[in-house]
Amino acid sequence: MKTSIVWFKTDLRLQDNETIIRAISQSDEIIPVYCFDESHYKITNFGFKKTGSFRAQFLLESLLDLDSNLRALGSGLLILKGNPEVEIPKIVKQYKVAKVFAKREVTYEEKQTETLLQNELFKMNCELETYSTSTLYHAEDLPFSIKDIPDVFTNFRKKIEIESKIRSSFEKPSAIKSPQLDVIKLPTLEELGLLSIPINKNAAIQFKGGESKAIARLNHYFFESKCISNYKETRNGLVGPDYSSKFSAWLALGCISPRFIYQELKKYEQQFGSNESTYWLVFELLWRDYFRFLMKKHSSKFFQQVGIQNKPHLGTIPKENQLHDWINGSTGVAFVDANMNELRLTGFMSNRGRQNVASYFCNDLKLDWRFGAAYFEQQLIDYDVCSNWGNWAYLAGVGNDPRGNRYFNIEKQANDYDKNKSFRNLWENS
């Protein structure tokens, strides 16, 4: 009997997950596994946790939902804790596993873990097979090689929209044959070294993890409210659940795939018509793809102060009081403070807010942008390594911004996007 492991990471779904489909087609039995990687709960060199309470809570909810969906198909989720390259080989040995299937990684640390595991599996005559499951466009379908990806988004977008096609999404499996798996046992936040923090009642949206909630959110935003038809006009909003799709948290953990969103968007357009707003959602998903492909192209350069342009960024290491004031919303700049309070108390911030607080950090305070990116890594429910570090490098002028230095006039931005001060009043003194 051929037994395989499916190693879930940031692809916590059954719908449009090529990894599990390929595993089922090549195996008699499947063991779905998730490993709480100890390195994800450490303090980074910048003094912040790699994973904060909000995202960890969202992850626990997502795993519970995945386990429930797997059990409905005759399987379940096996939870491991430790280093994947140590813990997964133990399961390989126990069940005489021939192959491990997993999502393909592109970022530096994740690639290192993948390589370490592959080396351990090789010693056991077990293969690691990976699939690209995170992007709208498949890497193999790009009209250029990864090393030739344009460093300007518009050039990338124009060529890809003309010359590449988006693949169909995979149907979720109808059944999964697994050995008897024990009832799921998840660690508590405390066991992960984190505190339980209730999300503030003023949060734009009360996020709840899992594929089931992701699909419910999509159905609400598309078919029930039809908010998608006004997305381009409302996407710079600041207050409430529906000014933007809020898909980002579920996308970040792979509870939903960009290709599934695209497929459902096409159904919506057939039913209710397409417009600039429905296109704009695809445009934003393209940005997400772009940062992932750029990360593959430039690797660890995105985590260095000089960025992919090798251009000195004069930002200094923050003094303790500067970081404290920025994080705790006490800079004295009302729009920055309101946004930072929202992030601290909810794990979320609007796109408009993120650009403003990052510009303030890099251009007004003139601080090393990586400290800001590292705080976001800790704090954001929707933290995505490629988009987060890519966007921060962009704002710091060391990424792929053709304009070089993207400075935001905070006062003008506040007047343009928060005319009646409803957002600042909601969060300024929180």
Side-chain angles (χ1 to χ4, degrees):
M1 183 173 282
K2 192 172 181 187
T3 303
S4 297
I5 285 172
V6 174
W7 175 25
F8 283 95
K9 292 181 278 182
T10 48
D11 56 343
L12 306 180
R13 63 179 185 272
L14 298 181
Q15 188 79 44
D16 191 35
N17 194 335
E18 185 173 4
T19 307
I20 199 159
I21 298 298
R22 298 298 179 203
I24 289 168
S25 71
Q26 296 180 39
S27 319
D28 299 308
E29 282 195 327
I30 302 291
I31 304 167
V33 162
Y34 181 86
C35 184
F36 280 87
D37 188 335
E38 286 177 348
S39 69
H40 293 177
Y41 297 88
K42 292 198 164 125
I43 304 280
T44 68
N45 295 338
F46 301 100
F48 299 110
K49 285 183 178 288
K50 267 186 98 57
T51 307
S53 298
F54 293 125
R55 188 162 80 261
Q57 180 59 41
F58 189 85
L59 169 63
L60 293 171
E61 293 160 1
S62 300
L63 292 170
L64 212 51
D65 185 66
L66 177 60
D67 177 68
S68 172
N69 293 338
L70 283 165
R71 289 193 188 269
L73 301 180
S75 184
L77 188 62
L78 185 63
I79 299 294
L80 309 175
K81 196 176 174 202
N83 295 321
E85 68 272 18
V86 174
E87 299 306 320
I88 290 173
K90 290 177 187 174
I91 307 302
V92 168
K93 189 177 179 186
Q94 184 183 340
Y95 289 94
K96 298 182 174 57
V97 168
K99 202 179 266 193
V100 175
F101 292 81
K103 169 193 166 178
R104 188 170 302 148
E105 299 294 355
V106 299
T107 42
Y108 183 70
E109 288 175 3
E110 286 76 6
K111 286 292 289 177
Q112 281 187 312
T113 303
E114 200 175 86
T115 303
L116 287 170
L117 175 62
Q118 195 161 19
N119 293 341
E120 290 305 311
L121 295 178
F122 181 75
K123 295 174 195 169
M124 305 172 78
N125 209 18
C126 178
E127 202 180 328
L128 176 65
E129 197 163 295
T130 62
Y131 292 90
S132 179
T133 66
S134 297
T135 49
L136 184 60
Y137 285 90
H138 199 288
E140 289 169 11
D141 301 335
L142 299 181
F144 21 63
S145 67
I146 293 293
K147 70 178 175 58
D148 294 323
I149 284 181
D151 280 330
V152 175
F153 173 71
T154 306
N155 301 342
F156 167 82
R157 177 184 63 80
K158 285 180 175 170
K159 198 162 171 59
I160 206 173
E161 286 180 338
I162 294 166
E163 297 185 32
S164 297
K165 282 207 163 42
I166 295 165
R167 297 183 183 186
S168 301
S169 75
F170 288 85
E171 289 297 319
K172 81 170 187 182
S174 53
I176 303 171
K177 194 170 185 319
S178 294
Q180 184 70 40
L181 297 170
D182 290 341
V183 175
I184 190 170
K185 189 177 184 314
L186 291 169
T188 62
L189 285 176
E190 288 72 23
E191 284 167 345
L192 295 171
L194 298 164
L195 297 171
S196 179
I197 305 171
I199 292 181
N200 188 283
K201 64 177 179 9
N202 291 332
I205 185 171
Q206 293 286 335
F207 282 108
K208 189 99 170 147
E211 182 176 19
S212 308
K213 295 292 184 188
I215 292 171
R217 174 63 191 173
L218 181 144
N219 286 329
H220 165 78
Y221 196 73
F222 286 4
F223 301 102
E224 291 160 15
S225 68
K226 302 186 182 59
C227 286
I228 182 60
S229 288
N230 302 307
Y231 172 66
K232 191 163 189 279
E233 292 75 45
T234 63
R235 70 196 169 89
N236 282 311
L238 299 163
V239 179
D242 291 341
Y243 63 79
S244 64
S245 74
K246 306 291 191 299
F247 295 159
S248 58
W250 292 287
L251 275 167
L253 275 185
C255 300
I256 198 167
S257 78
R259 224 169 281 162
F260 179 74
I261 292 172
Y262 179 80
Q263 176 185 290
E264 295 302 298
L265 183 67
K266 290 293 138 193
K267 288 181 192 170
Y268 177 89
E269 288 180 334
Q270 283 171 359
Q271 215 174 327
F272 304 107
S274 60
N275 62 11
E276 242 190 315
S277 285
T278 57
Y279 166 73
W280 209 260
L281 188 76
V282 182
F283 177 86
E284 297 292 357
L285 288 172
L286 252 183
W287 259 112
R288 192 175 165 276
D289 271 17
Y290 184 56
F291 279 129
R292 189 168 178 84
F293 293 137
L294 275 186
M295 195 66 82
K296 195 170 180 184
K297 175 181 177 179
H298 293 291
S299 186
S300 60
K301 285 184 186 172
F302 261 114
F303 303 97
Q304 293 163 11
Q305 193 179 15
V306 295
I308 65 172
Q309 297 188 7
N310 209 22
K311 185 169 108 183
H313 178 68
L314 299 175
T316 56
I317 292 173
K319 295 190 177 78
E320 201 173 314
N321 65 311
Q322 289 176 308
L323 259 188
H324 177 275
D325 289 348
W326 183 70
I327 287 168
N328 291 287
S330 47
T331 66
V333 181
F335 194 53
V336 169
D337 291 346
N339 276 291
M340 292 304 295
N341 285 336
E342 182 185 25
L343 176 61
R344 180 169 47 83
L345 296 169
T346 72
F348 185 76
M349 191 196 294
S350 68
N351 179 54
R352 182 58 43 188
R354 292 179 203 207
Q355 293 183 67
N356 274 275
V357 302
S359 173
Y360 179 78
F361 191 89
C362 299
N363 299 314
D364 292 275
L365 297 179
K366 298 193 173 3
L367 300 175
D368 182 338
W369 65 274
R370 296 171 303 164
F371 284 83
Y375 176 65
F376 271 35
E377 178 173 4
Q378 171 187 286
Q379 207 62 18
L380 284 171
I381 281 185
D382 64 3
Y383 170 75
D384 171 285
V385 56
C386 304
S387 295
N388 183 63
W389 289 84
N391 268 310
W392 268 93
Y394 187 92
L395 261 300
V398 298
N400 58 298
D401 181 4
R403 268 173 38 179
N405 197 358
R406 198 155 288 256
Y407 177 76
F408 281 73
N409 180 328
I410 311 279
E411 199 175 324
K412 183 180 185 304
Q413 291 273 311
N415 292 335
D416 286 350
Y417 298 104
D418 189 30
K419 284 189 186 69
N420 59 6
K421 294 194 173 180
S422 58
F423 177 75
R424 277 167 287 180
N425 292 338
L426 188 64
W427 291 110
E428 199 180 342
N429 299 311
S430 296

